[in-house]
Amino acid sequence: MLDMNWIRENQELVRNTALWKRVDPALDELLEWDDKRRVLLRDTEQHRAERNTLSKEIEQLLRRGEHAAGERIKEQVRAINSLLGTLEADLAEAEHRCGELQLLVPNPVSADTPIGKDDSENVELRRSGTLPEFGFAPRDHVELGELHGILDIPRGVKAGGPRSYVLKGAGLDLHLAVQRLALDVLTGRGFTAMDVPVIVRPEALERTGFFPGGRDQTYELNGENRWLAGTSEVSLVSLYSDETVELDEPMRLAGMSACFRREVGSAGRDVRGLYRVHQFSKIEQVVFCRNDPEASEQMLQEILANAEHILQLLELPYRIVAVCSGDMSLKTHKQYDVETWMPSRDAFGETHSASNLHDFQARRSNIRYRDEHGRLQYCHTLNNTAVATPRILIPLLENHQQEDGSIYIPAALRKYMNGLERLEAPQV
């Protein structure tokens, strides 16, 4: 959420951001309601003050025994109370409408964010690692998973419906191993690991910027007024809503959770295998820092470097992409995507997304800290994937496959795999 006074003073920037973020902030309607709200607030306060003055005058008149004059002023007070009843109801409606419309106003993008309409206009910044050159016809991750008996999609669909899966044996071991690796990297870098709720209140999704726009991507528990979170970012930020936090140093949190997304609108090759599934697991980085653009930019680079380090430990080639304005969500100020090479797609596929939100979430969530002068400030929040699985298993299996069908296990994972160096191909 943005400050209403800031919105008024930066209308053109808000309009441009809304255009590129593909949202309708209903800015004109918001400004009209805010004008009404201001007038109603002024009139309400004036009549309350007048009523208070008259009430004191009535007390003085009655003390002096001037009852007739007191009764005449009481009639004025009753008329004011009647008018105030109407004004206060209108004011409550105006404040409600302003609050609803204010939630639709997008976060302005950073000055160095590429301007574009969709992900086709994202800008590659750099690459790391060498793309594999196979001297044989490589298998995709589904074929490899079935060959090794570690992935069963048909039975997953039988139990859970489309976009479900079962990981078995070494497949589950790999799924857990990449999570353990990510947690160890993050805790070694000062992050506090947390297992957080995945069933959340609707206000948690609203305060973190996922509602009202993301309801179609979120599973609701019917009759419970609860929702399944698509990322532990929702819970990690909401843990501190309506609190004043200590930020002598940035607060670094690593959330471990199952995640649930409806994936409405995705189609084509993204549907095959493990790329877009309804249930997955993720280690998420969330950071709270001071309300200082330079400080939060530094933290953005830090959490991006953490994700890169994990991919380097997994010995996977990847690239960093600056996300353009039209591909960003309403809440994001600046975003990088990390895309890992997936041979079956003959392309890089998104595996991580690092975002700086400035004070957008903290303002919605009312999370503040005291600066060096003792003044309350809304903090900046940031988030980035450390690892999301099973999607990361796609490049892990495909890039590390050998001609005989075996799969190389990166050295960094072996201690989580009982020392296993490779998944040997079954003997046919």
Side-chain angles (χ1 to χ4, degrees):
M1 180 185 294
L2 303 175
D3 177 72
M4 191 64 221
N5 290 328
W6 188 94
I7 293 173
R8 281 190 163 278
E9 294 168 2
N10 296 273
Q11 294 180 35
E12 199 57 38
L13 177 58
V14 172
R15 292 183 198 281
N16 288 339
T17 296
L19 171 67
W20 290 113
K21 285 198 175 183
R22 298 176 299 169
V23 298
D24 177 12
L27 182 60
D28 291 333
E29 187 179 357
L30 171 59
L31 293 171
E32 288 175 8
W33 275 105
D34 190 53
D35 285 338
K36 292 179 185 177
R37 182 192 65 81
R38 289 172 174 232
V39 171
L40 287 165
L41 181 60
R42 180 200 64 200
D43 291 348
T44 299
E45 289 177 345
Q46 286 178 349
H47 283 89
R48 285 172 179 165
E50 182 182 1
R51 180 183 60 185
N52 292 340
T53 299
L54 291 175
S55 295
K56 291 178 182 177
E57 187 175 343
I58 290 170
E59 291 179 9
Q60 294 173 354
L61 289 171
L62 293 179
R63 281 199 204 98
R64 296 198 298 266
E66 300 178 28
H67 296 285
E71 286 301 320
R72 286 194 295 273
I73 295 177
K74 282 183 180 180
E75 286 296 325
Q76 296 180 45
V77 170
R78 281 192 280 269
I80 290 172
N81 282 335
S82 178
L83 178 58
L84 274 172
T86 301
L87 287 172
E88 288 169 347
D90 291 345
L91 177 60
E93 180 187 7
E95 288 176 337
H96 177 71
R97 288 296 295 139
C98 282
E100 286 184 327
L101 293 166
Q102 208 170 340
L103 291 176
L104 302 178
V105 179
N107 204 355
V109 299
S110 67
D112 57 349
T113 290
I115 300 301
K117 63 181 183 301
D118 56 34
D119 60 0
S120 67
E121 298 188 76
N122 293 344
V123 177
E124 181 179 316
L125 299 179
R126 64 179 182 276
R127 295 189 180 194
S128 177
T130 303
L131 302 188
E133 294 184 5
F134 299 108
F136 57 93
R139 298 176 171 91
D140 72 9
H141 68 284
V142 176
E143 296 170 309
L144 289 165
E146 291 173 346
L147 174 67
H148 286 270
I150 62 177
L151 172 63
D152 192 335
I153 291 178
R155 283 195 173 91
V157 171
K158 182 192 292 187
R163 305 197 193 183
S164 299
Y165 59 92
V166 175
L167 295 174
K168 304 186 296 180
L172 177 59
D173 291 340
L174 281 171
H175 171 80
L176 297 173
V178 293
Q179 293 179 72
R180 282 302 321 170
L181 173 66
L183 277 176
D184 286 351
V185 167
L186 294 181
T187 54
R189 296 185 173 193
F191 282 72
T192 300
M194 305 178 79
D195 182 7
V196 296
V198 296
I199 300 175
V200 297
R201 302 173 185 271
E203 53 266 33
L205 289 153
E206 182 177 285
R207 286 175 163 185
T208 49
F210 290 90
F211 280 5
R215 287 177 178 267
D216 64 336
Q217 295 293 342
T218 311
Y219 286 106
E220 181 179 9
L221 302 180
N222 290 332
E224 295 289 333
N225 196 29
R226 298 288 187 274
W227 300 72
L228 294 176
T231 170
S232 61
E233 172 194 345
V234 176
S235 294
L236 288 169
V237 173
S238 298
L239 294 177
Y240 298 92
S241 61
D242 298 317
E243 290 189 22
T244 300
V245 298
E246 293 290 336
L247 283 184
D248 293 336
E249 291 290 332
M251 185 190 300
R252 297 171 173 86
L253 308 176
M256 180 181 73
S257 75
C259 303
F260 302 88
R261 293 183 187 173
R262 294 181 63 195
E263 296 290 3
V264 173
S266 59
R269 63 182 178 179
D270 286 354
V271 174
R272 175 168 168 77
L274 300 175
Y275 194 81
R276 290 197 186 277
V277 292
H278 292 309
Q279 177 182 334
F280 56 100
S281 298
K282 188 151 64 100
I283 308 298
E284 183 75 4
Q285 305 175 73
V286 166
V287 174
F288 298 78
C289 71
R290 292 179 292 110
N291 193 318
D292 177 351
E294 290 186 7
S296 59
E297 173 64 22
Q298 180 179 342
M299 293 309 307
L300 181 62
Q301 299 303 323
E302 178 183 308
I303 60 177
L304 179 62
N306 292 340
E308 290 192 67
H309 180 61
I310 292 167
L311 286 176
Q312 290 161 9
L313 290 174
L314 294 176
E315 302 176 38
L316 295 173
Y318 64 89
R319 69 176 185 171
I320 306 299
V321 171
V323 177
C324 76
S325 51
D327 194 30
M328 282 187 187
S329 68
L330 174 143
K331 63 191 176 77
T332 306
H333 172 69
K334 182 176 179 179
Q335 181 177 336
Y336 296 112
D337 278 355
V338 185
E339 299 178 348
T340 307
W341 182 252
M342 299 181 181
S344 62
R345 297 165 65 91
D346 194 29
F348 291 95
E350 180 195 332
T351 52
H352 303 71
S353 184
S355 300
N356 185 349
L357 281 63
H358 275 192
D359 63 1
F360 190 88
Q361 279 184 333
R363 189 176 292 277
R364 285 188 179 215
S365 301
N366 191 31
I367 303 173
R368 301 182 293 176
Y369 71 100
R370 291 195 179 275
D371 64 17
E372 61 272 22
H373 305 293
R375 295 188 297 256
L376 286 171
Q377 304 274 5
Y378 291 107
C379 60
H380 281 192
T381 63
L382 305 96
N383 63 81
N384 184 20
T385 319
V387 71
T389 180
R391 184 180 291 190
I392 197 63
L393 300 186
I394 299 174
L396 192 62
L397 296 175
E398 293 181 357
N399 284 284
H400 293 318
Q401 64 180 297
Q402 309 297 306
E403 187 171 6
D404 65 356
S406 64
I407 299 169
Y408 165 80
I409 305 296
L413 287 181
R414 293 173 190 170
K415 67 178 179 180
Y416 309 106
M417 299 285 294
N418 295 316
L420 194 65
E421 297 184 4
R422 66 178 59 232
L423 300 183
E424 296 295 344
Q427 298 298 317
V428 179

